[in-house]
Amino acid sequence: MKYVQFEDGTILYIEDVVLTKLFKYLQRNNTTKEAGGILIGKQVKGQEEYYLCDVSEPSHMDKRGRFSFIRNKVSAQQIVNKKWYKSNGIENYLGEWHSHPENRPTPSHVDRSLMRQIIKDGTNVFKKVFLIIVGKDQSLYIGVTNSEISNEIYTSLIRSFL
């Protein structure tokens, strides 16, 4: 298991199985399409510690392009419901992930808008929402948005788990 600690003290633990799944979707050549999905995890009660337990993988209902990814909301919600049920209500939606065809990826304007939209709709169980962008060199952009403070990705970092 790996972890990252953000400037505000929030810790995100990442299961090794998650990294294995994410790194299956590196965009190493000029024809590989973006991939993405949702983050599934849990929070330690009373703490700003989160565990990223699983990620969904692209489904045939998602729209994938070289520089874009639009996940299907229905299939993603089915995954969230299943994980929530199997974990007795402990695991839930924790955020979004997708790949970028670049080294050391950074969030685009669309990525930032998505995070604002997730916070604004107010349906998220956890007060923090995470964004992971997988770079073609196995670097990860990991950002967090705190719904109690702002709807912006206010703390982020690049981390390589090679």
Side-chain angles (χ1 to χ4, degrees), residues 70-116:
I70 301 171
R71 75 169 164 74
N72 180 276
K73 291 179 183 180
V74 173
S75 65
Q77 188 60 55
Q78 290 172 342
I79 292 166
V80 171
N81 294 348
K82 187 176 184 180
K83 292 290 185 176
W84 182 84
Y85 180 77
K86 287 178 89 172
S87 68
N88 293 316
I90 295 172
E91 292 181 9
N92 211 317
Y93 173 88
L94 202 57
E96 301 283 329
W97 80 270
H98 63 279
S99 62
H100 272 191
E102 63 183 332
N103 294 326
R104 298 182 56 85
T106 56
S108 67
H109 175 71
V110 171
D111 297 332
R112 291 180 183 281
S113 293
L114 173 63
M115 296 303 283
R116 283 192 295 272

Side-chain angles (χ1 to χ4, degrees), residues 3-160:
Y3 76 93
V4 292
Q5 184 165 0
F6 296 89
E7 292 173 7
D8 69 349
T10 300
I11 299 172
L12 177 65
Y13 295 95
I14 304 171
E15 299 280 349
D16 291 334
V17 67
V18 168
L19 294 173
T20 299
K21 284 184 179 182
L22 293 175
F23 292 149
K24 283 172 44 178
Y25 296 99
L26 300 177
Q27 291 182 260
R28 289 195 168 149
N29 62 51
N30 291 336
T31 60
T32 309
K33 295 179 179 180
E34 280 194 17
I38 56 172
L39 308 174
I40 302 289
K42 59 189 175 184
Q43 181 180 11
V44 176
K45 189 172 184 173
Q47 303 292 318
E48 288 305 310
E49 295 181 18
Y50 297 82
Y51 283 82
L52 178 51
C53 305
D54 203 0
V55 295
S56 70
E57 297 185 65
S59 81
H60 68 281
M61 294 182 282
D62 297 328
K63 294 179 182 168
R64 297 175 63 184
R66 176 73 177 135
F67 301 103
S68 64
F69 176 81
I70 301 171
R71 75 169 164 74
N72 180 276
K73 291 179 183 180
V74 173
S75 65
Q77 188 60 55
Q78 290 172 342
I79 292 166
V80 171
N81 294 348
K82 187 176 184 180
K83 292 290 185 176
W84 182 84
Y85 180 77
K86 287 178 89 172
S87 68
N88 293 316
I90 295 172
E91 292 181 9
N92 211 317
Y93 173 88
L94 202 57
E96 301 283 329
W97 80 270
H98 63 279
S99 62
H100 272 191
E102 63 183 332
N103 294 326
R104 298 182 56 85
T106 56
S108 67
H109 175 71
V110 171
D111 297 332
R112 291 180 183 281
S113 293
L114 173 63
M115 296 303 283
R116 283 192 295 272
Q117 178 184 342
I118 292 167
I119 292 298
K120 186 178 179 180
D121 82 14
T123 60
N124 198 47
V125 172
F126 305 114
K127 71 178 181 181
K128 301 222 173 141
V129 178
F130 296 88
L131 172 64
I132 295 179
I133 304 173
V134 182
K136 68 181 186 177
D137 61 351
Q138 286 191 315
S139 62
L140 299 176
Y141 168 92
I142 305 173
V144 62
T145 302
N146 184 336
S147 65
E148 292 183 340
I149 295 174
S150 169
N151 61 8
E152 293 292 329
I153 304 173
Y154 72 96
T155 304
S156 60
L157 57 107
I158 294 286
R159 182 76 185 258
S160 179

